Amino acid sequence: MPTKLNTRLLTLIPVAIALNMACGQIASILKLPIFLDSIGTLLMAVIGGPWIGLLTGVLTNLIWGIISSPVAAAFAPVAGVVGLIAGLCARYGLFKNAWKVVLAGALIGLGASVVAIPIRVYMFGGVTGSGADFITAYLLATGQDLVGSVMLTVLGSNLPDKIVTALIAWGIVKNLPKRLQHSLASGTC
Amino acid sequence: MRSNALRLRWLSQRNPCTQLWTLINLSLIACLGPTLHYPVAVLLLLGLLGLGSGLFAPWLKRSVTLLAPLLVILLLLHGLFSPEGRTPIALGPVMLWQEGLDHALALGSRLSAAIAAGVLLGLCLSPHTLMKALEQRGAPASLGYICATTLELLPALGRRIKMIQEAQQARGMSLEGNLWQRLKALFPLLRPLVIASLLESEERALALEARGFRSHKQRSFLYPVTDPTWERRFSRLLPLLTLVVLILGYHHA
């Protein structure tokens, strides 16, 4: 059942999208091995539900595609699925304690990989233009087929990233000031 | 001189929706066309469009910058390690596979056309005008609000991150160190950022409500984007044209 897009949620979505982009940059400044570019999507999914999460994810990549690199736009479905699964996990109570959040992160990472792998294999031929290509090359050289190699690199980067991001999102939402928690829950200002 | 400049800019002054829709359809033709001729033809057409809108040099530069590493790695990855390789080509000490190179060429040309179209889109579209034009053609106003606000927020968020980073560093947070230390540095950076952004958005929500933003389905604009009837008709015709081109292509292939 889609959540109604009330004004409060509407004003939160641009914040989440900007957070996605900004945190992606923070992760590279801190030289972390994770992307951290879905933190806003996860926050919106927990606050607003699966469809809001989907919208946030898709719009993040589309806007990024127009202002920065068209490659990001190709992965908009992946970001959408991240938001969708995160929202469903939140709805079914998987954001209650740390272990459940790790499980939610794993599910999100799996879902994202399932959508990302065909895009990577059939649109980009398994190539990312980053260091992960060395790993793909190594796996191909040792006899794996392309789908298998891409599967390993995508899972290897997505699972830790989504688990860590889910834990961070949960930590933030759990520790929000009471006033914010109430105003977000009721959708009023 | 003046008429030259005007003619150059005619293409870039088309309605943003028409531009978006045209480039999407060109990408579809490039990616779904049966042979290599289609992406190559689309690339040439994109070059002509770039020339016609005065964006050729930046378009070429950005496309090459984005595509060169991808294409080189694609050729190397598939040429050297293709799992379907049967026909080897010896290039000195190196052994390449014919099938891998063919596949890399086919994929690479389609990828290049799609990304080059995206680059041209990014160069000729201003997100604000695009959202306005989309709203005029019927998109929900909320979408326009989301995109416009996101673009406004990005530089402000960047400044706030820097401010929080400096404040936390003054309190002893370190940005160096091993992985665990760097991960620990995340929370004191992110928590104030998220809370401040959420609180700020509360004020924006109040402002929107006060202006009755969600009370009407369609807004009218003081300075609307030009949207002539022929462009609307052209946009409606485009998918049919794409379909015809693809069907004829597959029929002749």
Side-chain angles (χ1 to χ4, degrees):
Chain A
M1 183 84 170
T3 313
K4 195 167 185 307
L5 186 67
N6 58 40
T7 314
R8 190 72 179 91
L9 284 175
L10 183 63
T11 52
L12 285 177
I13 293 179
V15 175
I17 298 178
L19 261 176
N20 281 337
M21 299 192 200
C23 289
Q25 285 181 331
I26 293 184
S28 28
I29 293 176
L30 287 177
K31 297 203 215 354
L32 296 172
I34 53 177
F35 310 127
L36 211 60
D37 57 3
S38 42
I39 181 85
T41 312
L42 288 194
L43 282 170
M44 283 315 297
V46 169
I47 295 174
W51 297 110
I52 308 282
L54 178 99
L55 184 67
T56 311
V58 169
L59 283 178
T60 304
N61 279 53
L62 288 180
I63 296 180
W64 204 334
I66 292 200
I67 62 175
S68 181
S69 155
V71 176
F75 288 94
V78 180
V81 163
V82 165
L84 188 70
I85 298 183
L88 288 170
C89 287
R91 194 158 276 186
Y92 287 105
L94 274 182
F95 275 84
K96 294 263 168 64
N97 67 46
W99 289 114
K100 289 196 184 157
V101 172
V102 169
L103 177 63
L107 285 171
I108 299 170
L110 266 166
S113 306
V114 162
V115 182
I117 290 167
I119 298 180
R120 234 189 232 305
V121 170
Y122 297 115
M123 256 200 86
F124 291 85
V127 164
T128 62
S130 74
D133 293 333
F134 286 112
I135 305 180
T136 315
Y138 171 74
L139 288 168
L140 274 179
T142 57
Q144 282 272 17
D145 68 331
L146 188 64
V147 178
S149 320
V150 172
M151 198 185 302
L152 285 168
T153 37
V154 167
L155 276 171
S157 55
N158 262 313
L159 276 176
D161 174 54
K162 297 301 179 282
I163 292 178
V164 171
T165 311
L167 283 167
I168 295 177
W170 174 67
I172 292 178
V173 171
K174 201 163 67 84
N175 291 310
L176 279 180
K178 282 279 187 306
R179 184 171 82 82
L180 258 185
Q181 279 182 357
H182 288 307
S183 92
L184 288 172
S186 63
T188 55
C189 307
Chain B
M1 204 84 265
R2 187 184 136 93
S3 63
N4 256 342
L6 278 177
R7 223 180 304 133
L8 269 182
R9 278 171 39 218
W10 183 83
L11 268 179
S12 56
Q13 280 176 340
R14 295 306 89 216
N15 185 285
C17 295
T18 317
Q19 292 173 334
L20 178 68
W21 202 215
T22 312
L23 288 169
I24 290 181
N25 275 283
L26 281 176
S27 308
L28 282 173
I29 294 180
C31 294
L32 298 174
T35 65
L36 268 187
H37 302 111
Y38 287 80
V40 171
V42 166
L43 275 168
L44 288 171
L45 197 61
L46 286 173
L48 283 172
L49 287 173
L51 276 169
S53 42
L55 292 167
F56 185 73
W59 169 76
L60 193 66
K61 183 161 173 251
R62 274 211 77 203
S63 304
V64 169
T65 319
L66 270 175
L67 285 170
L70 284 176
L71 291 176
V72 165
I73 300 180
L74 195 66
L75 279 167
L76 283 175
L77 209 73
H78 285 263
L80 289 169
F81 304 116
S82 168
E84 297 115 13
R86 275 177 297 278
T87 328
I89 310 172
L91 213 70
V94 171
M95 180 96 89
L96 296 170
W97 300 105
Q98 178 73 45
E99 288 78 12
L101 286 177
D102 288 339
H103 184 228
L105 206 65
L107 203 84
S109 54
R110 295 198 166 101
L111 190 65
S112 305
I115 290 191
V119 167
L120 194 61
L121 221 99
L123 284 172
C124 70
L125 284 182
S126 140
H128 283 284
T129 335
L130 174 65
M131 291 326 301
K132 227 173 161 181
L134 281 172
E135 244 186 272
Q136 278 175 221
R137 284 204 191 177
S142 321
L143 228 58
Y145 169 78
I146 293 175
C147 293
T149 315
T150 307
L151 294 167
E152 249 180 62
L153 280 177
L154 279 172
L157 208 70
R159 283 192 294 271
R160 183 171 268 152
I161 290 175
K162 196 155 189 301
M163 204 169 67
I164 296 177
Q165 181 186 321
E166 285 167 2
Q168 300 290 44
Q169 277 181 300
R171 288 177 180 80
M173 177 186 84
S174 158
L175 284 181
E176 322 273 306
N178 64 39
L179 181 60
W180 185 238
Q181 285 172 334
R182 280 181 279 141
L183 272 173
K184 268 198 334 191
L186 262 182
F187 221 67
L189 266 181
L190 284 182
R191 187 164 179 261
L193 186 69
V194 173
I195 294 180
S197 308
L198 288 178
L199 284 172
E200 208 185 51
S201 67
E202 228 177 340
E203 282 177 32
R204 252 182 263 120
L206 278 170
L208 280 183
E209 293 271 320
R211 284 162 180 74
F213 181 69
R214 316 224 350 132
S215 59
H216 297 291
K217 279 226 174 278
Q218 207 71 19
R219 297 191 296 164
S220 57
F221 293 93
L222 183 58
Y223 301 110
V225 182
T226 49
D227 196 7
T229 325
W230 75 264
E231 285 199 45
R232 289 191 186 225
R233 289 208 187 112
F234 177 64
S235 301
R236 274 196 286 269
L237 230 66
L238 266 176
L240 270 126
L241 280 170
T242 310
L243 213 62
V244 163
V245 167
L246 286 173
I247 292 178
L248 284 176
Y250 277 99
H251 188 68
H252 285 293

